[in-house]
Amino acid sequence: MRHIFLLILLFTGSIHSFFAQEAEKLKKYQSTVSKSTYSKGDTIVIGDMGKNVFSAKKTYIGIFVKNKKNVCGYSELDTVIAGSKCVIKNILSFGEHCTFDFKNSVVFELQGPNNLVLFMPVEKALQAKELIVFTSPFNPKGLEYLDDRTIFLLNLEYSKETSADNAFKYCKLADPAKGKAYEFNQEEFEKEKAAWIKKLDAARKEVNLKDTFIIRVPVYLNKYLFEKGEFQVFDNPDAYGSKPLKYASDSKVLFDNYKVFSTIKAAKPNADFFLNVNTADYNGNRKSFGEVKAICTSITKDPTVMVTADNPGINILHFTILEISVVDSENKNYNYIGMKRK
């Protein structure tokens, strides 16, 4: 029995050593996905977690940590480190390996945050957009984002309603936790109402028509015209375009000069990477995300919605676009695709 156990142990060990062959160490590596060249000692930046269809648990698809409990010694990283800078300690080229993602792959050994040592099959991480290639130069400093609060204030300027009649609505937008508490205790809100009226009066002076805002919208890119170095923008009703875009519960956004921005300038390396890591839909469109710098020029009522005593209708906020910066991630200003200015 003892001999059988030793044979099994030796056999298992030999299989493990076969599938965990010594990796070849490289000084540089040019990716087939991003076309970028990476060197030992370079600093790289981590992106968001990719979508792992094989796991209900949120993990990185292309970032691993050593795990002695795992049969092959590696597990996908489940700690969010998006935006972290990591240094490439080694570039390892594997043939065989018991971890499927390392087999016939180039793996970066990284010095990560909090002394984490990470292992990244680089092509897989790039496909999942877990490794940032192009950072965005867009700088929204000093500009308001168009959110529910700013839309509320713009609509209030249009309607000319009093702060006293809208103090509670503003409270729910400015401080949702307090607003929710006040819903169950209106008497407490009445005690604080004067203070909220004062806060709303101050906020109304900060946000006005003719101001410039940053608006985040989906942008659907179609063909890349190589001779012009630009993408065609697909006029999607769920994105910015010729039709009003539903932006808040009681408001829509319309870009009056949309036709000027029916194309987006993009350098060929950025365009190649975007096309490589995003699958087109049946119309040949790929979804990206725009940060639009635009001036709010006017507000009108949606003519398709009847205004009644019970239904105030839907407001359309008209904007003139000044600039669009397009990226490949909803949550981060990466991977940068391109830009167009007025």
Side-chain angles (χ1 to χ4, degrees):
M1 189 71 181
R2 184 183 172 189
H3 293 299
I4 294 171
F5 175 76
L6 285 170
L7 282 170
I8 293 170
L9 193 64
L10 287 167
F11 180 69
T12 307
S14 64
I15 289 177
H16 187 274
S17 63
F18 173 74
F19 284 112
Q21 286 179 359
E22 194 69 30
E24 180 188 355
K25 290 187 177 181
L26 308 177
K27 290 183 179 179
K28 292 185 177 182
Y29 174 69
Q30 184 177 35
S31 165
T32 59
V33 174
S34 71
K35 308 302 180 186
S36 301
T37 300
Y38 301 93
S39 302
K40 183 178 176 180
D42 283 354
T43 298
I44 61 172
V45 183
I46 305 299
D48 287 332
M49 285 184 178
K51 292 182 180 178
N52 194 336
V53 295
F54 301 107
S55 175
K57 187 179 178 183
K58 288 206 81 176
T59 59
Y60 283 92
I61 293 172
I63 305 177
F64 293 77
V65 289
K66 282 188 176 179
N67 181 356
K68 291 179 181 178
K69 294 180 181 178
N70 186 290
V71 66
C72 280
Y74 295 91
S75 294
E76 291 166 327
L77 180 68
D78 59 4
T79 303
V80 179
I81 59 168
S84 297
K85 293 181 179 179
C86 300
V87 176
I88 301 175
K89 293 175 66 178
N90 284 300
I91 300 175
L92 309 171
S93 178
F94 287 101
E96 295 295 334
H97 199 285
C98 59
T99 298
F100 175 77
D101 297 274
F102 291 10
K103 185 178 179 181
N104 298 319
S105 297
V106 171
V107 177
F108 290 172
E109 181 184 353
L110 305 172
Q111 182 60 60
N114 303 318
N115 292 318
L116 277 172
V117 177
L118 307 171
F119 295 85
M120 173 188 283
V122 59
E123 306 294 21
K124 191 175 182 68
L126 285 164
Q127 286 285 359
K129 292 180 274 189
E130 293 177 346
L131 172 55
I132 297 174
V133 179
F134 305 105
T135 55
S136 175
F138 184 73
N139 182 14
K141 191 177 180 181
L143 296 176
E144 287 262 10
Y145 276 93
L146 190 73
D147 55 15
D148 287 345
R149 175 183 167 276
T150 51
I151 287 175
F152 171 78
L153 293 169
L154 287 168
N155 283 332
L156 208 52
E157 182 177 354
Y158 169 70
S159 67
K160 306 300 182 187
E161 293 178 21
T162 66
S163 294
D165 290 338
N166 289 276
F168 184 55
K169 289 180 183 176
Y170 180 71
C171 170
K172 289 196 289 184
L173 287 168
D175 192 337
K178 270 196 174 180
K180 193 169 184 180
Y182 286 147
E183 281 183 351
F184 300 101
N185 191 346
Q186 281 291 326
E187 290 181 4
E188 188 63 30
F189 175 73
E190 289 301 322
K191 293 177 186 177
E192 303 285 337
K193 186 173 180 179
W196 280 104
I197 292 172
K198 193 174 179 180
K199 289 178 183 178
L200 179 51
D201 282 338
R204 292 178 77 166
K205 293 175 183 176
E206 295 172 3
V207 177
N208 303 285
L209 284 170
K210 309 299 182 182
D211 282 353
T212 300
F213 297 90
I214 301 299
I215 307 169
R216 288 188 172 123
V217 289
V219 179
Y220 289 85
L221 300 180
N222 195 267
K223 293 178 182 177
Y224 181 67
L225 306 175
F226 286 90
E227 67 280 5
K228 293 182 178 180
E230 61 186 25
F231 276 105
Q232 292 180 321
V233 177
F234 178 67
D235 186 3
N236 190 313
D238 296 322
Y240 92 94
S242 59
K243 296 178 182 178
L245 169 66
K246 191 72 177 286
Y247 204 83
S249 58
D250 59 349
S251 301
K252 292 180 178 179
V253 163
L254 180 63
F255 298 105
D256 292 325
N257 63 336
Y258 157 73
K259 286 186 178 179
V260 178
F261 290 85
S262 59
T263 59
I264 295 294
K265 287 287 181 184
K268 188 177 181 298
N270 302 55
D272 283 340
F273 181 69
F274 175 72
L275 293 170
N276 205 3
V277 299
N278 291 278
T279 304
D281 63 18
Y282 60 90
N283 288 318
N285 303 312
R286 291 172 171 85
K287 189 176 182 180
S288 61
F289 301 89
E291 299 248 309
V292 181
K293 187 189 291 185
I295 297 172
C296 184
T297 55
S298 63
I299 299 176
T300 61
K301 285 291 180 185
D302 188 339
T304 64
V305 179
M306 186 178 291
V307 178
T308 65
D310 298 323
N311 184 2
I314 292 176
N315 289 349
I316 297 178
L317 282 71
H318 294 259
F319 284 87
T320 295
I321 302 171
L322 303 176
E323 178 183 304
I324 297 179
S325 178
V326 184
V327 296
D328 193 17
S329 171
E330 190 170 10
N331 302 317
K332 299 277 182 183
N333 283 337
Y334 77 86
N335 283 291
Y336 176 65
I337 300 167
M339 178 187 288
K340 190 163 188 181
R341 293 188 174 96
K342 188 176 176 182

